[in-house]
């Protein structure tokens, strides 16, 4: 963007904390700061801590204020502010994690108990992992890992086995003041000040390091270094969070996005003020909820936010802690089995299935027998060309095992040329017998490849490719060699008879390979439902009804392997791709997830597998657990969903017991719903572990991909929420 007059503010920050500041004034309907109003409720989101290089730009001007016990205007109309600083100096310490809890009061009770048992400095802190809404009970601090390991050994001896070490970064105290450069004048800022960046008008927006946000910014110093806090309306915040947590592109079902909107709104309300001592409510990472500003917004998810405006989830009149997980693997888990603490009545294990699940059968009238050529099923190429309309179909399908005529080949090639975007009237060959030599000449002439042969195909390559075909001479050698090299003619012809008649399936294989190399002719979408001779698909956030041809070729693809079918049963949500001819679908391919009826079956993480050598896993575990060299891992207990809730790590110097959510972090896995297989070396020791599992996340609360599956099956967002959160009500905020 070019500015006629660049208003430029350069602010240099070097190692300093801001404290204090004037709070924003709140009116009846909104929060005001010198004429700029944000409708209530207002949320404060940290956009990063201990920031070093900050670039704040306004779409149409901004005011900059310095605020401490009073305020002063730094600039009335600025377009750009750059804050550059080295950031606070980081050092590190070690703590011992004793337990986790979902609620602060539970964590405080646990801390009191541990103080009595250990006599050390036990305290409660926010867990920095992605376990949203979890508090950690910690013991420390320790200056070295060795000191922490010694303490862990002491705790193990006292019967506390489920403890581990965590390294933390801390900030050293600042020593130097802040200086601000405005134009060519240098001045310092007051030590207790904050900077407010206020858009010049309600339609303007601010950007931080090229990422745009609604609302306004406050730049302040905290115990976590220099922080930019985004003040904005809760509903505007959700317009970014909802698509960030559940992509409308991949999971474009409105009712699922509505469920996500209500869950995210409830989570934000319940956890408002969680980081109040640092001057903000939530962070912009999955530690709270993923928030990346206006770039994430999408019309479909914005509609979901607007159509559920103000709605939250209540249990006995209070907002719930609306935990959600990406993929539950078929069943969610009781909260207390994953996070320590008391049972939560609305976070109970539920099956990720839908009793009202619909099924739609789709049939193809014409069975497709396999035609194998050099180990490849040529029927796939035949179906591709039928779908594109290259192969004409009459009342009776042609026999694709039989030979093709010269005129038939020319007609197919002409249609392929048209689809490839070549001009009409430039291909009019003289009639001849159709063998592989003449087919090669036809293809080279039809698609204009003679220059490729003359300039790119070496004489030595021609001799190599045709060394077993001495009967091919003169002008026929180049085209035939090029078609062999390009995979257009079966390899078996090189050691056979190149002058035999070309079969229809062999011709289809050649043209299929050519057209696939030109462009992707397939349309793609998500299957929604089926009617009589029709299917409904979701495509680019719209719905389309497609007519099915009487000559439909129906395919199923599972893990990359495609086979023909005469009947398929779909549940909704399957990815499909198709080809249309004359306004009807003649080729329909269903990309199946693993055969299952669970609602999150479409997730790539519904099933997964991870392999680690004993040495690799032992190195990971040795950072947190004082067990020596890893010997084995043993599952001791599972929860309602089958998730591992107690795991013993066996080592050469002792054992450690890991519980709940920490198992996932300790092993570096996507979820704790897994089984373990082992491979052994010649001495009988475990050499390699294979973890076969399901799910992604902690497995508690709303299953996001399951919500999508339920929405595709026809469920409304309130039904989705009441399925995954037991005994709740959905009501609108006053």
């Amino acid at each position: 963007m070019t500015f006629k007059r660049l208003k430029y503010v350069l602010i240099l920050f070097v190692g300093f904390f801001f404290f204090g500041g004037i709070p924003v004034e709140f009116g009846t309907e909104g929060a005001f700061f010198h004429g700029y109003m944000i409708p209530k409720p207002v949320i404060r989101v940290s956009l990063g801590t201990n920031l070093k290089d900050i670039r704040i730009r306004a779409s149409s001007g901004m005011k900059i204020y310095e605020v401490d016990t009073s305020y002063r205007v730094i600039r009335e109309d600025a377009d750009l502010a750059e804050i550059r600083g080295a950031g606070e100096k980081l050092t590190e310490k070690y703590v011992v994690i004793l337990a986790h809890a979902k609620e602060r009061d539970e964590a405080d009770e646990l801390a009191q108990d541990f103080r009595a048992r250990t006599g050390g400095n036990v305290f409660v802190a926010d867990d920095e992992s992605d376990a949203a809404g979890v508090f950690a009970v910690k013991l420390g601090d320790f200056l070295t890992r060795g000191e922490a390991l010694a303490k862990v050994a002491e705790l193990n001896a006292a019967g506390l086995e489920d403890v581990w070490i965590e390294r933390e970064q801390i900030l050293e105290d600042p020593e130097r003041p802040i200086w601000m450069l405005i134009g060519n004048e240098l001045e310092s800022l007051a030590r207790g000040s904050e900077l407010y960046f206020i858009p010049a008008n309600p339609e303007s927006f601010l950007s931080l390091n090229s990422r745009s946000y609604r609302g306004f910014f406050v730049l302040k110093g905290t115990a976590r270094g220099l922080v930019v806090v985004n003040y904005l309306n809760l509903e505007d915040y959700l317009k970014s969070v909802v698509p960030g947590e559940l992509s409308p592109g991949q999971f474009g079902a409105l009712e699922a996005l509505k469920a996500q909107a209500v869950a995210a709104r409830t989570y934000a309300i319940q956890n408002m003020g969680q980081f109040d001592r640092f001057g903000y409510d939530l962070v912009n990472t999955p530690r709270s909820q993923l928030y990346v500003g206006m770039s994430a917004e999408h019309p479909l998810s914005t509609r979901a936010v607007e159509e559920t405006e103000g709605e939250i989830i209540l249990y006995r009149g209070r907002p719930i802690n609306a935990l959600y997980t990406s993929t539950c693997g078929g069943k969610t888990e009781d909260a207390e089995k994953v996070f320590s603490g008391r049972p939560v009545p609305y976070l109970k294990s539920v099956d990720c299935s839908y009793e009202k699940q619909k099924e739609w059968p789709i049939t193809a009238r014409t069975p497709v027998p396999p035609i194998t050529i050099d180990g490849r099923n040529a029927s796939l190429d035949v179906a591709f060309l039928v779908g594109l309309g290259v192969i004409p179909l009459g009342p009776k399908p042609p026999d694709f095992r039989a030979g093709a005529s010269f005129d038939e080949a020319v007609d197919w090639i002409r249609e392929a040329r048209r689809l490839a975007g070549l001009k009409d009237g430039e291909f009019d060959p003289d009639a001849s017998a159709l063998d592989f030599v003449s087919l090669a000449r036809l293809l080279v002439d039809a698609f204009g490849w003679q220059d490729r042969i003359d300039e790119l195909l070496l004489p030595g390559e021609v001799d190599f490719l045709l060394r077993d075909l001495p009967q091919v001479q003169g002008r026929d050698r180049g085209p035939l060699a090029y078609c062999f090299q390009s995979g257009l003619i079966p390899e078996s012809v090189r050691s056979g008879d190149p002058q035999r008649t070309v079969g229809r399936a062999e011709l289809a294989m050649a043209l299929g390979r050519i057209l696939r190399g030109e462009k992707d002719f397939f349309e793609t979408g998500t299957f929604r439902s089926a009617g009589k001779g029709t299917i409904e698909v979701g495509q680019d956030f719209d719905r389309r009804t497609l007519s099915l041809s009487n000559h439909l070729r129906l395919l199923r693809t599972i893990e990359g392997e495609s086979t023909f079918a005469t009947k398929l049963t779909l549940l909704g949500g399957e990815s499909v791709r198709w080809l249309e001819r004359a306004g009807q679908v003649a080729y329909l391919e269903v990309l199946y997830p693993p055969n299952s009826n669970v609602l999150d079956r479409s997730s790539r993480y519904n099933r997964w597998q991870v392999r680690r050598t004993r040495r690799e896993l032992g190195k990971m575990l040795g950072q947190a657990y004082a067990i020596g060299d890893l010997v084995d891992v043993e599952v001791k207990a599972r929860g309602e969903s089958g998730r591992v809730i107690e795991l013993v790590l066996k080592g050469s110097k002792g054992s450690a017991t890991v519980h709940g959510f920490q198992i996932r972090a300790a092993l570096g896995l996507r979820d704790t719903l897994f089984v373990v297989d082992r491979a052994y070396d010649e001495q009988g020791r475990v050499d390699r572990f294979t973890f076969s599992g399901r799910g992604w996340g902690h497995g508690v609360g709303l299953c996001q991909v399951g919500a999508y599956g339920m929405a595709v099956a026809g469920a409304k967002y309130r039904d989705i929420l009441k399925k995954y959160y037991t005994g709740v009500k959905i009501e609108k905020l006053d």
Side-chain angles (χ1 to χ4, degrees), residues 463-486:
D463 293 340
F464 170 76
L465 291 165
L466 303 183
R467 63 185 177 184
D468 295 325
L469 301 174
Q471 66 271 43
V472 181
Q473 296 294 323
R475 59 185 291 268
D476 293 332
R477 289 176 61 79
L480 186 61
Y482 181 80
C483 288
F484 276 133
Q485 191 178 64
S486 302

Side-chain angles (χ1 to χ4, degrees), residues 522-540:
F522 287 97
E523 291 194 69
T524 60
T526 303
F527 175 80
R528 296 295 192 187
S529 63
K532 187 176 181 180
T534 64
I535 60 171
E536 186 179 80
V537 298
Q539 189 180 36
D540 296 331

Side-chain angles (χ1 to χ4, degrees), residues 360-372:
W360 289 278
I362 299 177
T363 58
R365 298 182 181 181
T366 306
V368 180
I371 304 174
T372 303

Side-chain angles (χ1 to χ4, degrees), residues 410-484:
V410 170
D411 288 342
W412 291 14
I413 291 172
R414 282 196 174 119
E415 186 61 23
R417 277 172 45 85
R418 184 188 67 79
L419 291 171
L422 299 179
K423 294 180 180 179
D424 292 335
E426 296 181 357
F427 177 64
D428 189 20
D430 295 330
S432 68
L434 185 66
D435 56 28
F436 289 100
V437 176
S438 62
L439 175 61
R441 286 200 307 269
L442 283 175
L443 295 177
V444 169
D445 292 343
F447 294 97
W449 293 337
Q450 190 59 49
D451 284 347
R452 301 185 188 184
I453 295 171
D454 294 340
E455 305 299 335
L456 303 178
L457 187 63
L458 301 176
E461 290 179 301
V462 175
D463 293 340
F464 170 76
L465 291 165
L466 303 183
R467 63 185 177 184
D468 295 325
L469 301 174
Q471 66 271 43
V472 181
Q473 296 294 323
R475 59 185 291 268
D476 293 332
R477 289 176 61 79
L480 186 61
Y482 181 80
C483 288
F484 276 133

Side-chain angles (χ1 to χ4, degrees), residues 623-673:
Q623 298 298 312
Y625 300 94
I627 61 172
D629 294 333
L630 179 65
V631 175
D632 202 353
V633 297
E634 181 182 355
V635 175
K636 298 294 288 185
R638 294 183 181 271
E640 289 295 319
S641 67
R643 282 174 169 78
V644 179
I645 60 174
E646 184 177 352
L647 183 76
V648 175
L649 310 175
K650 297 181 178 180
S652 61
K653 296 182 180 179
S655 298
T657 303
V658 191
H659 290 94
F661 183 77
Q662 187 57 29
I663 295 171
R664 176 191 176 204
L667 299 178
L669 300 178
R670 295 184 178 93
D671 204 313
T672 54
L673 181 52

